[in-house]
Amino acid sequence: MEISGMLNFFLHLGQAKRTYRSGWVLRGIKEPESIADHMYRMSMMAFLAPNNLDRSKCIEMCLIHDLAESIVGDLTPQDNISKEQKFLIEKQAFEKLESLIKENYNSDRFIQLVDEYTSHSSAEAKYVKNLDLFDMYLQAYEYEILNNIKLDEFFSSIDSIQFEPNLKEIIDELMKIRTNGLNFLPKDSNLNTILKFYLSNKK
């Protein structure tokens, strides 16, 4: 039995929820974020993009920019492949994903956004790449707090990147609280769920 391309595509979205970000795995982070986790927070960041950008396009790019990794995984320098090989492998994965939704009128839009993001050919694509980096910084800060470790290597690119002004202001704020070792993580919202599980097993 074969399944439809659309259902297959949606199942790949599920795989994105189960595909870990390699950088955190390689550093022994417990319960590392998934590709879908990363893309979701970026999408919410894009929801607050400056007015001079096409906010909808930014959100769309965030939602799809790493989706190829649901097929090939999160490729890193440890995979011993060149940037050109990585680009080709991920391009083929994106084409596979696009083929699954080819009967949907948005399939052309999907591959257009992929091409625009990977080539950084628009202001929106450049902003989304900034968000990609910012989310990495933010995630590294969170893991430093949660695991009582230092992840300095993840912040090494900050001074060499020209960020959009409002984003630069937030990044500077993040670096200030990191430098001072301050913990501003929200209260763990899983506690209520854990408590319900515990109480249900006590009955």
Side-chain angles (χ1 to χ4, degrees):
M1 176 181 176
E2 293 187 2
I3 62 173
S4 67
M6 289 288 282
L7 180 55
N8 199 346
F9 182 83
F10 294 150
L11 290 171
H12 278 83
L13 300 183
Q15 181 57 44
K17 294 166 66 176
R18 298 186 296 275
T19 302
Y20 298 132
R21 299 260 283 164
S22 294
W24 312 126
V25 175
L26 292 169
R27 283 150 186 85
I29 299 296
K30 296 179 180 179
E31 300 181 4
E33 70 169 340
S34 70
I35 293 157
D37 293 332
H38 168 61
M39 293 191 294
Y40 173 74
R41 179 155 63 182
M42 280 182 61
S43 300
M44 289 305 301
M45 290 174 173
F47 180 75
L48 302 174
N51 291 333
N52 62 309
L53 298 174
D54 183 337
R55 187 179 66 176
S56 294
K57 180 188 283 189
C58 289
I59 294 171
E60 289 173 329
M61 281 187 187
C62 289
L63 286 170
I64 68 175
H65 80 285
D66 276 343
L67 193 54
E69 295 172 14
S70 68
I71 295 178
V72 301
D74 184 12
L75 301 174
T76 69
Q78 282 75 12
D79 291 292
N80 294 317
I81 60 173
S82 66
K83 288 184 178 180
E84 292 76 16
Q85 289 173 309
K86 181 177 184 292
F87 175 81
L88 181 59
I89 291 169
E90 292 182 345
K91 183 175 186 293
Q92 292 171 340
F94 275 122
E95 289 171 349
K96 169 64 176 177
L97 291 167
E98 191 270 339
S99 73
L100 298 177
I101 56 172
K102 61 185 176 183
E103 295 181 3
N104 185 279
Y105 68 92
N106 280 313
S107 63
D108 288 343
R109 175 71 171 169
F110 177 84
I111 209 69
Q112 174 193 343
L113 287 166
V114 170
D115 290 343
E116 187 174 330
Y117 175 74
T118 55
S119 65
H120 301 157
S121 60
S122 66
E124 287 77 15
K126 292 172 184 175
Y127 185 74
V128 170
K129 182 58 182 176
N130 276 186
L131 293 181
D132 188 36
L133 291 169
F134 175 42
D135 183 63
M136 179 184 71
Y137 305 148
L138 199 54
Q139 190 63 64
Y141 162 74
E142 292 173 345
Y143 285 147
E144 286 184 331
I145 296 295
L146 292 170
N147 296 280
N148 193 28
I149 57 175
K150 297 299 287 184
L151 294 167
D152 292 333
E153 65 269 35
F154 287 94
F155 298 91
S156 61
S157 65
I158 282 184
D159 293 334
S160 63
I161 305 296
Q162 185 173 355
F163 291 101
E164 199 277 337
N166 79 319
L167 200 55
K168 179 67 164 60
E169 184 177 342
I170 301 171
I171 291 172
D172 287 345
E173 181 182 11
L174 173 66
M175 294 308 294
K176 183 177 180 179
I177 67 171
R178 177 180 182 259
T179 298
N180 288 287
L182 301 176
N183 180 357
F184 281 95
L185 298 190
K187 181 180 178 181
D188 190 347
S189 57
N190 283 303
L191 295 178
N192 182 48
T193 301
I194 294 170
L195 180 60
K196 283 184 287 190
F197 174 78
Y198 174 78
L199 291 175
S200 68
N201 285 336
K202 293 289 286 186
K203 293 180 180 179

